[in-house]
Amino acid sequence: MPAVPATEDPTSQFVAWVRGAAPYIHAFRGKTFVVGFGGEVAAGERAQSLAYDCNLLAALGIRLVLVHGARPQIDVELARRGLEPRFHHGLRVTDAEALECVKSAMAVTRFEVEALLSQGLPNTPMAGSYMRVTGGNFITARPFGVVDGVDYQFTGAVRKIIAEEINADLDQQNVVLITPLGVSPAGEIFNLAMEEVAEAVAVALKAEKLIYLCDAPGLLDAEGQLVESVTADEAQSKIETGEGLTEDLHLFLPCAIRAVRRGVARCHLIDRDKDGGLLLEFFTHAGVGTVVSRDPLFRLREATVDDVAALVSLISPMEADGTLVRRGRELLEQEIERFTVVEHDGVLVGCAALYPFSEDNAAELACLAVTPEYRRAGLGDQLLKRIERRARVQRLERLFVLTTRTAHWFRERGFNEIGPEALPRQKRELYNFQRRSKVFVKSL
């Protein structure tokens, strides 16, 4: 863990982190994650940490499938035998001699990964645990064929994933480790691309998440800054322009796009050198990589009574510091139909409420709140637009708001300051002169 600044209490920070992770732990229990990683990870200095983190994910009830690669190990084996690696369009050409190198390197890499996952030494994160790691002939393959006159020979593509057999192992609380080799109905062995196997497995299992550990923090924009989330269409445009793509991302991003378009909920691109990257991505609000989804990551919807507990948690810090007026749980339950909420990966991260005053053709925008981690994501603007749209549907002409801390934010969005006397009569009678909230109005 990074050093905690002297001004912060490490105990309080730890408690806050665990509480913040709790919604994700509940959401992901029983869900299937497929993690694809290359031979660089299996042989790298982070391999042990990855094993620890996979052990923790499994202990939290996540159904875990790991797909490993072995590209650098295959190249070493080829060099040892005096053979030259051959590639075409980034895909290895596997002749009979190369296939022997592939089988040897894959077998050794698999055993090394199994060994890492099977530890249980005292004073390690895996102490007292026992991960049952299983595998099998889950993949039926076919030859890749001839492309541009190049015969790929024993390089193959996935024909079918035997999903029911993988699910049977996962149902027994096993961690499934898959080596990217496939067998044809004729008994031929084919060398497969790790990233395509991981994609095919995730789609076949209807996985919640497909994760690739790659040679970059994730997708980068033109300024070299991390792109936290993209839709499949946005990611496709990045492939066409080549913007922000590394060697791994050129291989992994097309698989990610296909996966989310074929039913995988999310695909994550995470830096393979980031210690604890899996935990940071899945159990913190901000995450550390790029998320690829079919549709936009944030979802606005109308609140239901099931959201009350999450709303209390969301707005209570802002009630405590005086930004929002206090609302009891019972009042929230009574007025829940007035609220619009925004979700990120199933977790409430923002809300706003609309209180109509039909006799005055006006409405109040109230309780606009976004968690600190997402205040730069434009969620406040999205909530404001949703509330304005709801008000227009009710044929209301003005939207007003009372605020003590965010006057400039509303001014920048077309609101004009007015006096309390201009409020609708019913609201004017409830105005708290001790709180001295400023009043702003916007014509709809």
Side-chain angles (χ1 to χ4, degrees):
M1 289 181 61
V4 178
T7 56
E8 293 187 31
D9 176 6
T11 301
S12 299
Q13 188 183 57
F14 171 76
V15 170
W17 184 89
V18 173
R19 288 172 177 165
Y24 301 103
I25 294 172
H26 295 315
F28 296 151
R29 184 180 294 117
K31 299 296 176 63
T32 301
F33 287 15
V34 178
V35 183
F37 56 93
E40 299 88 351
V41 175
E45 61 181 22
R46 298 294 185 196
Q48 184 65 79
S49 297
L50 175 62
Y52 291 158
D53 294 348
C54 288
N55 179 273
L56 179 57
L57 293 177
L60 292 172
I62 292 170
R63 294 155 60 92
L64 202 57
V65 180
L66 308 178
V67 183
H68 75 85
R71 284 192 180 104
Q73 291 86 343
I74 294 170
D75 288 341
V76 169
E77 185 64 19
L78 285 166
R80 191 181 71 81
R81 301 189 189 195
L83 302 173
E84 288 291 331
R86 293 176 58 208
F87 291 87
H88 184 64
H89 293 317
L91 187 61
R92 188 185 299 277
V93 177
T94 311
D95 59 19
E97 289 181 308
L99 181 62
E100 293 305 310
C101 298
V102 168
K103 291 190 291 186
S104 176
M106 290 286 192
V108 170
T109 302
R110 179 187 178 86
F111 282 126
E112 289 175 346
V113 173
E114 280 192 10
L116 289 170
L117 295 170
S118 301
Q119 297 179 64
L121 291 174
N123 301 318
T124 73
M126 296 173 73
S129 69
Y130 176 65
M131 288 179 69
R132 294 185 298 273
V133 181
T134 63
N137 57 336
F138 302 129
I139 306 170
T140 302
R142 60 175 176 81
F144 196 81
V146 179
V147 178
D148 299 332
V150 176
D151 187 352
Y152 280 90
Q153 300 182 62
F154 292 101
T155 297
V158 175
R159 176 179 292 185
K160 183 181 180 182
I161 300 293
I162 316 299
E164 55 270 24
E165 296 296 332
I166 300 176
N167 276 319
D169 275 2
L170 294 173
D171 289 342
Q172 296 299 314
Q173 299 182 344
N174 297 326
V175 172
V176 176
L177 178 62
I178 294 179
T179 297
L181 291 173
V183 180
S184 74
E188 294 178 298
I189 298 174
F190 289 98
N191 175 29
L192 308 176
M194 174 278 294
E195 58 273 12
E196 294 184 2
V197 171
E199 172 202 341
V201 169
V203 170
L205 297 179
K206 299 179 174 61
E208 178 73 13
K209 295 186 182 295
L210 168 61
I211 303 105
Y212 288 116
L213 304 183
C214 57
D215 60 355
L219 280 175
L220 305 178
D221 62 19
E223 286 74 41
Q225 299 300 310
L226 178 67
V227 178
E228 295 181 354
S229 64
V230 291
T231 64
D233 290 343
E234 292 167 343
Q236 185 63 49
S237 69
K238 287 187 175 292
I239 290 177
E240 293 167 359
T241 63
E243 179 186 320
L245 300 187
T246 62
E247 181 180 358
D248 277 358
L249 292 175
H250 271 292
L251 298 172
F252 299 166
L253 191 56
C255 297
I257 293 169
R258 289 194 298 266
V260 298
R261 285 176 172 168
R262 295 169 65 195
V264 176
R266 300 279 189 273
C267 182
H268 299 254
L269 305 168
I270 303 175
D271 189 347
R272 68 191 184 202
D273 294 323
K274 181 72 173 179
D275 189 22
L278 290 175
L279 305 184
L280 292 168
E281 178 71 356
F282 300 131
F283 300 111
T284 64
H285 282 304
V288 294
T290 296
V291 184
V292 183
S293 58
R294 188 184 64 181
D295 302 311
L297 200 58
F298 295 101
R299 183 169 76 96
L300 271 74
R301 61 173 175 80
E302 308 315 317
T304 70
V305 70
D306 294 332
D307 297 315
V308 170
L311 278 172
V312 171
S313 177
L314 173 66
I315 67 177
S316 57
M318 283 169 269
E319 292 175 340
D321 68 14
T323 303
L324 296 178
V325 176
R326 290 188 180 276
R327 288 172 172 79
R329 187 187 182 101
E330 290 186 5
L331 182 61
L332 284 172
E333 289 178 353
Q334 294 169 7
E335 299 180 343
I336 193 65
E337 76 280 355
R338 302 187 186 278
F339 280 80
T340 294
V341 296
V342 57
E343 289 181 322
H344 176 271
D345 249 352
V347 177
L348 245 62
V349 296
C351 67
L354 179 71
Y355 290 83
F357 295 87
S358 301
E359 66 277 9
D360 295 280
N361 288 324
E364 180 187 7
L365 164 63
C367 203
L368 176 59
V370 177
T371 58
E373 295 89 345
Y374 295 106
R375 286 176 185 166
R376 295 180 180 272
L379 299 185
D381 288 296
Q382 293 183 41
L383 285 163
L384 174 59
K385 289 178 181 177
R386 182 71 166 247
I387 292 295
E388 288 177 353
R389 187 159 56 248
R390 288 180 61 182
R392 289 190 186 99
V393 167
Q394 298 180 42
R395 300 184 182 281
L396 302 174
E397 298 175 356
R398 296 182 300 144
L399 184 67
F400 65 87
V401 62
L402 281 69
T403 181
T404 58
R405 301 284 186 88
T406 55
H408 284 86
W409 191 89
F410 287 104
R411 280 197 185 99
E412 291 167 2
R413 284 150 183 83
F415 284 79
N416 297 306
E417 188 171 359
I418 58 174
E421 67 280 359
L423 288 169
R425 179 185 56 80
Q426 187 178 356
K427 184 66 180 180
R428 187 169 63 246
E429 292 173 354
L430 297 174
Y431 182 80
N432 185 341
F433 283 92
Q434 289 184 330
R435 184 173 169 83
R436 297 183 63 186
S437 298
K438 292 188 175 183
V439 182
F440 291 86
V441 68
K442 182 178 182 180
S443 296
L444 299 174

